[in-house]
Amino acid sequence: MSDHSSAAPSVPLPYRRLSDSLTNNKPPVWSINQSVGPEPAPLPAKCDRHEPNRSGVCCKELKGDDERTLIDPDVVRDVVIGLSDGLTVPFALTAGLSSLGESKLVILGGIAELIAGAISMGIGGFLASQAERDHYRYLRKVTAARVLRSCDGEMEREVHAVLGPVGVDEKVSRQVASCLREVEFSSGPDELGESSGGHRTAPGSTASDATLTAEEGGELRWSRDVGLTAFLLKFGEGLQDVSTARMYTSAFTIGMGYLVGGLIPLLPYFFEPVAHIALIYSCVVTGIVLLVFGAVKARVTGAAGAGAGGYIWGAVSTLLVGGAAAAAAYGIVAALEG
């Protein structure tokens, strides 16, 4: 037979099932654990999935009994701040105004306080995030200047001071410092160490190196997140940059949390014209919401374990803290009234 008649058409092999499609998180390579040559197996392909005792299951697919995806802790913190203040401060205010006898006055005063408090809390969250970002950028500038003027030995000592306590030996710390320092001076422009073309260059680099850096496209989008400066800030100081979206998200989350939380103790006054009776309903509703809020907070933060004890403790502790704050505020108002 001729070569033309024996040749078979080339077609792509279909996926075995939908879970193996390109949208899956599995790497598009055959997983291996050992390499035939002297070089180790590449990290994207290194896996024990096909070992006899693993039955084709990757360790990333194994889940614990209580393992779950948690909400961003920054968002949880803002929600807790907003709701906690909203459930206590307006409640204390409405409780104090209840001595006037009419629910209408309590509603007017409570709504005014809610709007002003929500705006104030939102602005406070924005300014706090902005101050955190400015603080980080200042430290990044100072740290970048220190990295630029420091010798290799000093940077190796600082890297080992971060990695040593977690079990990394001095030899590996030196290698990490050398790699990070090399990336530091090849990651593009920054505030310091810029060449005439606006790109950071390592000490002793030539003009052709700077030209080559400029021709390669300038600063990479993630260049400020790599290198020795980013390592010392993130792992040495425990700091990360705050994005502009994060500032607005914090302001909106805290402000809306305060507004929603403050409406809860105010709701009974809309349906009960006698303020003293509405205060009783407000206490009951606020207490129930504090219990629910504490249980939900324990769930989303991971504080609650597999049993019900964590949820109960989260609910009761939130009720005690919020109730104590509201009772203290109400007591002070009552004492000032006479």
Side-chain angles (χ1 to χ4, degrees):
M1 298 178 64
S2 63
D3 295 339
H4 178 73
S5 61
S6 61
S10 299
V11 294
L13 294 176
Y15 291 103
R16 290 179 299 174
R17 52 185 185 273
L18 183 61
S19 61
D20 292 335
S21 62
L22 293 176
T23 58
N24 202 320
N25 293 328
K26 298 178 182 179
V29 293
W30 183 265
S31 57
I32 58 177
N33 195 21
Q34 300 294 333
S35 178
V36 178
E39 295 295 329
L43 289 181
K46 190 173 182 181
C47 183
D48 290 343
R49 176 194 299 271
H50 298 289
E51 294 296 324
N53 59 342
R54 297 301 296 270
S55 303
V57 179
C58 179
C59 57
K60 293 189 295 184
E61 300 173 358
L62 302 176
K63 301 295 183 181
D65 296 335
D66 192 45
E67 187 172 350
R68 57 185 181 272
T69 302
L70 302 178
I71 302 177
D72 185 358
D74 291 333
V75 176
V76 175
R77 179 196 63 188
D78 294 340
V79 171
V80 170
I81 292 174
L83 281 177
S84 299
D85 286 354
L87 287 170
T88 55
V89 177
F91 172 75
L93 175 65
T94 55
L97 294 177
S98 298
S99 61
L100 299 177
E102 296 184 6
S103 295
K104 182 179 179 180
L105 295 177
V106 177
I107 293 173
L108 293 177
I111 291 178
E113 195 280 333
L114 274 182
I115 296 175
I119 295 175
S120 175
M121 293 288 292
I123 294 176
F126 180 87
L127 294 178
S129 299
Q130 188 180 51
E132 184 179 354
R133 183 192 64 177
D134 295 340
H135 176 68
Y136 172 84
R137 292 183 176 180
Y138 172 76
L139 287 182
R140 182 177 63 189
K141 182 178 180 180
V142 173
T143 305
R146 181 163 54 86
V147 169
L148 187 66
R149 65 174 179 262
S150 299
C151 62
D152 293 342
E154 176 62 24
M155 292 296 98
E156 290 173 359
R157 284 190 291 271
E158 291 198 23
V159 171
H160 185 63
V162 176
L163 299 179
V166 296
V168 180
D169 58 26
E170 185 174 337
K171 180 180 179 181
V172 177
S173 296
R174 291 176 181 270
Q175 296 174 352
V176 172
S178 177
C179 180
L180 291 174
R181 193 174 178 85
E182 182 179 352
V183 173
E184 177 80 12
F185 295 113
S186 62
S187 60
D190 208 334
E191 293 88 345
L192 296 170
E194 294 181 349
S195 64
S196 58
H199 294 83
R200 172 185 283 188
T201 56
S205 60
T206 61
S208 60
D209 296 331
T211 303
L212 179 61
T213 303
E215 291 176 352
E216 288 176 348
E219 182 182 14
L220 298 175
R221 180 181 63 84
W222 42 264
S223 63
R224 293 179 182 270
D225 299 330
V226 299
L228 195 52
T229 299
F231 174 83
L232 293 176
L233 287 174
K234 184 175 182 179
F235 300 103
E237 302 292 338
L239 299 175
Q240 286 183 315
D241 196 6
V242 179
S243 63
T244 303
R246 171 63 195 147
M247 294 190 297
Y248 289 102
T249 302
S250 178
F252 178 80
T253 305
I254 295 178
M256 289 302 299
Y258 186 90
L259 185 63
V260 173
L263 282 174
I264 294 173
L266 196 61
L267 285 177
Y269 294 93
F270 287 94
F271 304 100
E272 176 56 51
V274 181
H276 292 289
I277 300 177
L279 176 61
I280 299 175
Y281 292 122
S282 178
C283 293
V284 174
V285 172
T286 304
I288 294 174
V289 172
L290 283 173
L291 287 173
V292 175
F293 173 62
V296 173
K297 179 170 64 71
R299 171 69 181 182
V300 299
T301 59
Y311 296 98
I312 296 176
W313 170 248
V316 173
S317 61
T318 304
L319 175 62
L320 292 177
V321 173
Y330 177 76
I332 293 175
V333 172
L336 292 177
E337 288 183 347

